[in-house]
Amino acid sequence: MEITQNILDKIKEYDKIMIHRHQSPDPDALGSQGGLALILKESFPEKEIYVIGGPVGGLDFLLTMDEVEDDMYQGALVITTDTANEPRISGKQYDLGDLLIKIDHHPDDEPYGDISWVNPKASSTSEMIYDFFEAHKDELVMPTEAAKLLYAGIVGDTGRFMYPATTSHTLWVASQLMTYPFDAASLNRTMDEVSEKIARLAGYVAENIEVDENGAAMVLLPQEVLDKFEIEDSETPPIIPIPGKIKGIKAWGIFVAQPEGFYRVRLRSKGPVINTIAKRHHGGGHPLASGANAKDLAEVKEIYQEIQQAVKEDN
């Protein structure tokens, strides 16, 4: 593939490579970032390669970030993985390097970078990183830890191969990664575990889902509820799939209060397109999995009404 050859040529050209991902990372952000870094470290041991970004929350069992200074970006190649737009890049030094490469699987609504490889048909950016390795495996080396990280990223973004983005190619890539000697079953269990307080919050979510007659649903998590369960927003991703487990629910929004007063919005769907809703509310993402923001409860109500309309039109 011409684009991957172009990326590999640039990687060869630079002695220092800084790899970023998106804020509030999920397994695919860390899997693609760390997987690429480890492949490059093994393949080009003479190069300096760093992974950069803010806190990783409860995913520190996957990857920890490097400490870097601004002057380290001088003469460096910068790569972002799994990050659809510049405002979401974690680590603001990303624009201090010589050249910026974007590798991502989200719709390319906000292009950036000097070189951009975007494939919305891929299940995950981790799948793309494996494809990059596969296309150039005569020059690249896949260490076991990289395979583990890429597998984690694919499992995370496909909901354990349940979401529509899972293709036969996705399953083939996962099967190739599982030929490396890491414990996939143990990794799956670790990724599935939640703390006791998240389990209790899940009970609250199940008890407080609002559902209309067409299968549009919403859950509101105000600050007092987060305080009651001693939960921060960064800990809430495990509860996002809960409404989707309920028969009859077709699309839903989870609205999480933020200390600043606005609400972070997670949108999910089993069919109706919801990323158009996200784009109208300072967000974006995939057709069936997106994020947005609501400045107040009035905008929360507005977003839920738009979810209801999307579900109604899809029926």
Side-chain angles (χ1 to χ4, degrees):
M1 185 186 295
E2 183 178 346
I3 183 65
T4 63
Q5 183 62 58
N6 193 8
I7 291 171
L8 181 59
D9 289 343
K10 289 301 179 184
I11 288 170
K12 291 178 180 179
E13 185 178 325
Y14 285 85
D15 294 327
K16 190 184 300 178
I17 301 170
M18 324 298 276
I19 305 178
H20 291 247
R21 38 78 185 167
H22 64 71
Q23 301 165 6
S24 303
D26 55 12
D28 186 35
L30 295 175
S32 57
Q33 179 190 32
L36 176 60
L38 290 172
I39 289 170
L40 298 184
K41 286 181 179 181
E42 192 76 10
S43 306
F44 307 103
E46 73 284 359
K47 296 183 183 294
E48 296 179 54
I49 298 167
Y50 301 92
V51 290
I52 302 103
V56 301
L59 295 175
D60 53 358
F61 67 91
L62 288 176
L63 189 65
T64 56
M65 298 296 101
D66 294 319
E67 295 290 334
V68 297
E69 302 293 337
D70 289 359
D71 59 6
M72 295 169 64
Y73 282 76
Q74 185 174 353
L77 171 65
V78 180
I79 301 175
T80 66
T81 67
D82 199 40
T83 309
N85 53 46
E86 287 192 74
R88 289 210 70 204
I89 299 173
S90 187
K92 295 308 176 185
Q93 310 103 314
Y94 75 89
D95 61 352
L96 299 177
D98 275 11
L99 189 83
L100 178 61
I101 296 176
K102 172 186 179 182
I103 303 176
D104 186 39
H105 75 121
H106 297 91
D108 200 16
D109 295 326
E110 300 181 47
Y112 68 89
D114 301 293
I115 298 173
S116 177
W117 177 29
V118 176
N119 180 12
K121 294 181 179 180
S123 71
S124 55
T125 307
S126 294
E127 179 180 313
M128 294 176 66
I129 298 301
Y130 182 84
D131 288 339
F132 173 68
F133 162 76
E134 180 69 22
H136 306 285
K137 60 183 179 181
D138 56 332
E139 299 182 77
L140 299 175
V141 181
M142 174 78 71
T144 296
E145 187 63 23
K148 175 183 174 181
L149 286 171
L150 296 179
Y151 177 83
I154 293 171
V155 167
D157 252 28
T158 62
R160 291 168 180 77
F161 310 107
M162 183 177 69
Y163 300 154
T166 305
T167 64
S168 58
H169 180 68
T170 306
L171 296 176
W172 177 82
V173 170
S175 73
Q176 297 304 301
L177 292 169
M178 288 183 69
T179 64
Y180 292 83
F182 67 91
D183 190 338
S186 175
L187 177 60
N188 286 330
R189 286 193 299 271
T190 301
M191 293 178 65
D192 195 45
E193 288 177 347
V194 297
S195 64
E196 182 178 338
K197 62 182 181 179
I198 291 295
R200 295 186 185 280
L201 179 65
Y204 174 89
V205 168
E207 288 284 343
N208 290 275
I209 298 175
E210 179 180 338
V211 189
D212 75 2
E213 68 277 9
N214 296 313
M218 71 164 284
V219 177
L220 181 66
L221 296 179
Q223 192 62 52
E224 55 265 29
V225 170
L226 298 177
D227 292 342
K228 174 185 176 181
F229 289 96
E230 300 180 342
I231 296 291
E232 296 181 2
D233 175 54
S234 61
E235 300 175 278
T236 58
I239 60 98
I240 298 172
I242 290 173
K245 298 178 184 293
I246 299 174
K247 187 176 181 179
I249 290 182
K250 297 180 179 178
W252 63 98
I254 296 182
F255 302 84
V256 185
Q258 304 296 304
E260 298 84 354
F262 69 95
Y263 292 83
R264 183 173 179 182
V265 186
R266 274 81 169 231
L267 301 174
R268 298 294 186 269
S269 175
K270 297 177 183 176
V273 173
I274 45 81
N275 64 342
T276 52
I277 299 172
K279 292 174 187 177
R280 290 195 291 269
H281 297 276
H282 313 288
H286 300 289
L288 305 182
S290 295
N293 290 295
K295 65 179 182 293
D296 51 28
L297 287 173
E299 190 168 5
V300 167
K301 182 178 179 180
E302 181 183 345
I303 292 173
Y304 181 45
Q305 289 173 341
E306 292 179 29
I307 297 171
Q308 290 177 300
Q309 185 63 31
V311 171
K312 184 178 181 180
E313 292 175 355
D314 192 68
N315 282 344

